Amino acid sequence: MPDWSALDEGEHLVDVAFVPDGGRLRLTRSGEDFSILLDHHELMSTDLSSSERALAGHACARLAGRAGVQMLIGGYGMGFTLRAALAALAADAEVTVAEIVPKIIEWARGPMRAVTAGCLDDPRVLLIEDDVGMLIEAASGGYDCILLDVDNGPEGLTRRCNDWLYSAAGLAAARNALRPEGLLAIWSATHDDRFAGRLARSGFAVSVIEADLDTHWLPEDDVPAHVIMLAHKLR
């Protein structure tokens, strides 16, 4: 049995949540910084968020000039991707956010409300507390862009069901859910050449961008190599 109380010096436990069909999440705080951990693995933190913002930034740059953009974001997390998307998108855009863990939204509106900065109340946002896979399967040519940051990347970590999103069947569903010339953008903690190849075989033109991380406070050997995978739907 893991010791859920074991935290780094200066951290304290704020709350605990359960992932449907998955593990246990902990929200911790150290000063003004928050982290969300799965067991002892840090999934996200407020002091290492530039790649989540980059996910939205690179996607929105490729949507520039489109009217009435329809975007689906899989996983609210700490909202960095959502806030970056809202800052870049026009007033006529609509952003659907799928978050399967209700406590994540409770934390956003509660202890993390200063970080959330009201983004969930933006009139362009539709929040659905359900599996993003369900929304992808239900859509047909409904979205200009799908952003996925529901796990540690193509290798599922928080729940086994997430593996479907990165399977051939899940990618086929995502392609079907996109409009012509739509974009699927995926956050990943590491490079994954095998998955990039699967994207290409699924009817996408793929580019992989290594995110610039603000990690001056980390030892060089500890700097992660977060990447953004951009997959453009081919006709």
Side-chain angles (χ1 to χ4, degrees):
M1 176 75 68
D3 179 6
W4 301 110
S5 64
L7 297 170
D8 292 338
E9 185 177 354
E11 282 188 304
H12 72 268
L13 182 66
V14 178
D15 201 1
V16 174
F18 293 92
V19 180
D21 303 316
R24 185 185 303 202
L25 301 178
R26 294 182 296 162
L27 176 66
T28 67
R29 183 170 186 170
S30 177
E32 296 301 314
D33 289 319
F34 291 90
S35 297
I36 295 178
L37 300 92
L38 176 69
D39 296 339
H40 296 289
H41 182 90
E42 184 175 273
L43 294 179
M44 63 197 80
S45 64
T46 53
D47 62 358
L48 187 59
S49 60
S50 55
S51 61
E52 285 88 348
R53 297 194 299 271
L55 174 63
H58 286 295
C60 289
R62 286 156 177 78
L63 297 171
R66 297 196 196 188
V69 168
Q70 295 287 323
M71 177 180 285
L72 172 63
I73 297 179
Y76 173 80
M78 291 185 167
F80 290 106
T81 298
L82 173 59
R83 290 191 292 281
L86 293 174
L89 293 172
D92 62 353
E94 294 184 7
V95 183
T96 301
V97 179
E99 176 52 63
I100 200 170
V101 182
K103 278 268 190 174
I104 293 284
I105 303 304
E106 288 183 29
W107 296 343
R109 297 191 184 279
M112 293 188 64
R113 58 188 175 275
V115 177
T116 302
C119 66
L120 290 170
D121 299 318
D122 189 295
R124 294 171 291 175
V125 174
L126 172 64
L127 174 64
I128 298 180
E129 294 188 21
D130 210 327
D131 187 351
V132 68
M134 178 272 294
L135 297 179
I136 290 173
E137 282 195 288
S140 180
Y143 300 107
D144 293 284
C145 184
I146 299 172
L147 307 184
L148 291 181
D149 184 9
V150 298
D151 217 307
N152 214 36
E155 181 182 358
L157 180 67
T158 58
R159 57 195 297 261
R160 291 182 179 178
C161 295
N162 287 345
D163 289 340
W164 176 84
L165 293 170
Y166 309 109
S167 69
L171 294 178
R175 189 178 185 280
N176 181 64
L178 289 168
R179 293 174 173 175
E181 300 182 6
L183 176 67
L184 173 64
I186 298 171
W187 182 95
S188 179
T190 60
H191 288 272
D192 191 329
D193 292 339
R194 180 179 296 181
F195 178 68
R198 188 182 305 151
L199 279 169
R201 292 190 298 273
S202 299
F204 293 96
V206 183
S207 57
V208 179
I209 300 172
E210 192 161 310
D212 292 327
L213 302 178
D214 181 14
T215 54
H216 62 278
W217 45 273
L218 281 175
E220 185 175 346
D221 291 344
D222 293 339
V223 174
H226 296 172
V227 299
I228 310 302
M229 297 185 180
L230 299 175
H232 291 264
K233 178 179 178 178
L234 297 174
R235 291 185 180 276

